[in-house]
Amino acid sequence: MADLGAYPMNGGDGLYSYSKNSNFQRKAIDAGKELIKEAISEKLDIKSFSSSNTFRVTDLGCSVGPNTFHAVQNIVDAVEQKYQSQGHNSQLPEFQVFFSDHTSNDFNALFQSLPPDRRYYATGVPGSFYSRLFPKAFIHFAYSSYALHCLSKVPEEVVDVNSTAWNKGRIHYSKSADQVVKAYTTQYAKDMECFLNARAQEIVCGGLMAFVVPGRPNGIPHTEVFVNTAKELFGSCLMDMAKKGIISEEKVDCFNIPQYIASLEEVEAIVKANGYFSVEIMENLTQEKPPPKVFAIGVRSGMEGMIRKHFGDEIMDELFDSFGKKLEESSCVLESKKSVSLFVLLKRRATE
């Protein structure tokens, strides 16, 4: 069973590196820039943090850059503007930014590309964001971009041949049986509960948390989402290779992508049930669809490690060439699918 978290984005600066193929995610960050500025201006009560001259920010699922640097700079700029707008020019805090990702992340590549003119102290924090990463009441602003749709693991039922949720012949849930969809939905809810519980311990009362993830509009079926349709095409490429005898069909049957595309309704219900955070902003952001070849390379930069571990090196070029062609052939179908990002801004409630 493949676990996306165990295999990081491609590091370094090669042809298929994440740093060179993450414009899709960068546009989502840029789309949320004004919302973060607005949130910090209107929702962040800096008076409650006045006892500390350090403002601590974390990017959860930072990967290898450069997107994380743009995101945290947006936050730092907005906080500085907040202080200045309230006449605290001489009392600007020092900033400490904690870049966090799995232990397998290429932190060397990340820190080698740190902006030389940054106005913050940088720290690396390895570990899964589905568990605790920081001391209690430590973080003032937590951020995550294009990471929270990744599950902690593949739902066990979907790779169990004895389960009614066995996802035979598919690597994703969007066109699968209801039992498969339910297994993914349940796993997502469990993971989000763990994520919120961990952050509730770490974020100061009144602190903010924002995240941007690929999503689907409320009421829209999973089958009508652009990224889900693309994953179905990717799965069909693997099945084509199995039919040719290049890989075994059994290998495909036990390979599922641990990602779930949620709606704002789902996120809101989970947050409210958790109770530790108030919902301050929730919006769908229109997400531009990249050209087929660009999208195929972007998927390769994010999934190559997982594919290689499960299927071996030999299939990589043929697989992604086939994927790129299928994306082009299906461009009319893909154009009709929905492509949005969810922007969610939460505030840590005061403790009882």
Side-chain angles (χ1 to χ4, degrees):
M1 176 166 55
D3 177 358
L4 183 60
Y7 310 112
M9 304 292 185
N10 281 354
D13 60 356
L15 178 62
Y16 302 117
S17 65
Y18 181 78
S19 63
K20 287 190 175 180
N21 296 284
S22 55
N23 285 339
F24 184 71
Q25 293 87 342
R26 170 67 185 277
K27 289 177 180 178
I29 293 171
D30 290 343
K33 180 178 179 179
E34 287 304 313
L35 289 171
I36 285 179
K37 182 179 178 181
E38 172 191 328
I40 290 173
S41 174
E42 298 179 3
K43 312 287 186 181
L44 188 68
D45 181 11
I46 60 175
K47 291 179 182 178
S48 63
F49 311 141
S50 58
S51 61
S52 172
N53 69 342
T54 302
F55 192 93
R56 290 180 285 271
V57 178
T58 183
D59 184 0
L60 302 165
C62 64
S63 190
V64 294
N67 290 342
T68 186
F69 306 133
H70 295 294
V72 299
Q73 193 59 55
N74 291 344
I75 296 166
V76 169
D77 289 344
V79 173
E80 286 186 339
Q81 288 174 21
K82 173 79 171 185
Y83 272 80
Q84 291 165 350
S85 71
Q86 296 193 358
H88 299 305
N89 277 7
S90 62
Q91 299 173 340
L92 289 178
E94 293 187 303
F95 291 90
Q96 188 170 15
V97 175
F98 297 87
F99 296 95
S100 181
D101 212 317
H102 283 278
T103 55
S104 52
N105 187 57
D106 191 348
F107 282 99
N108 285 334
L110 175 73
F111 289 122
Q112 285 169 4
S113 58
L114 274 168
D117 57 347
R118 64 190 180 277
R119 301 192 304 280
Y120 53 81
Y121 297 96
T123 304
V125 179
S128 168
F129 54 47
Y130 290 123
S131 59
R132 284 284 300 277
L133 294 166
F134 303 100
K136 287 186 176 181
F138 185 74
I139 296 294
H140 299 98
F141 197 109
Y143 176 82
S144 185
S145 177
Y146 270 60
L148 263 176
H149 63 300
C150 298
L151 303 176
S152 64
K153 64 178 183 178
V154 173
E156 294 175 3
E157 310 95 298
V158 303
V159 290
D160 180 357
V161 296
N162 297 313
S163 170
T164 56
W166 184 33
N167 201 23
K168 179 174 172 56
R170 294 188 180 280
I171 66 166
H172 195 242
Y173 63 85
S174 63
K175 287 188 177 181
S176 299
D178 290 345
Q179 296 96 320
V180 177
V181 178
K182 183 179 180 181
Y184 268 87
T185 304
T186 300
Q187 185 64 51
Y188 175 76
K190 288 179 180 177
D191 284 345
M192 280 298 292
E193 178 72 6
C194 291
F195 177 82
L196 293 172
N197 286 341
R199 302 295 82 75
Q201 297 297 311
E202 300 165 351
I203 297 175
V204 300
C205 289
L208 300 179
M209 175 164 63
F211 57 87
V212 184
V213 288
R216 60 190 175 90
N218 292 338
I220 296 298
H222 290 282
T223 53
E224 294 302 310
V225 176
F226 170 76
V227 291
N228 285 348
T229 302
K231 288 169 191 170
E232 292 294 339
L233 289 174
F234 188 72
S236 71
C237 294
L238 287 168
M239 285 304 295
D240 289 345
M241 298 184 85
K243 290 172 184 175
K244 293 177 183 176
I246 299 172
I247 55 178
S248 71
E249 191 169 330
E250 290 75 19
K251 277 275 190 182
V252 180
D253 287 341
C254 62
F255 178 83
N256 277 253
I257 299 175
Q259 295 179 353
Y260 182 80
I261 307 302
S263 66
L264 286 179
E265 282 182 340
E266 288 178 283
V267 175
E268 184 174 20
I270 293 169
V271 171
K272 288 185 174 180
N274 176 265
Y276 286 115
F277 295 89
S278 61
V279 176
E280 302 293 328
I281 303 175
M282 297 188 98
E283 288 193 18
N284 286 320
L285 307 176
T286 301
Q287 179 66 60
E288 180 183 338
K289 299 166 187 171
K293 288 185 178 179
V294 173
F295 185 74
I297 293 175
V299 171
R300 181 167 184 170
S301 74
M303 291 181 57
E304 184 168 1
M306 180 170 60
I307 300 294
R308 183 187 299 114
K309 179 71 175 180
H310 192 81
F311 294 102
D313 276 323
E314 299 78 13
I315 72 165
M316 299 303 298
D317 290 339
E318 182 177 345
L319 173 61
F320 283 98
D321 284 346
S322 173
F323 182 45
K325 290 174 183 175
K326 284 206 177 190
L327 288 171
E328 289 185 337
E329 292 167 359
S330 304
S331 58
C332 290
V333 174
L334 290 167
E335 190 57 37
S336 69
K337 303 300 180 182
K338 303 295 182 182
S339 181
V340 301
S341 296
L342 310 184
F343 178 89
V344 178
L345 191 284
L346 307 177
K347 188 171 187 175
R348 178 65 169 93
R349 294 183 186 275
T351 54
E352 297 292 339

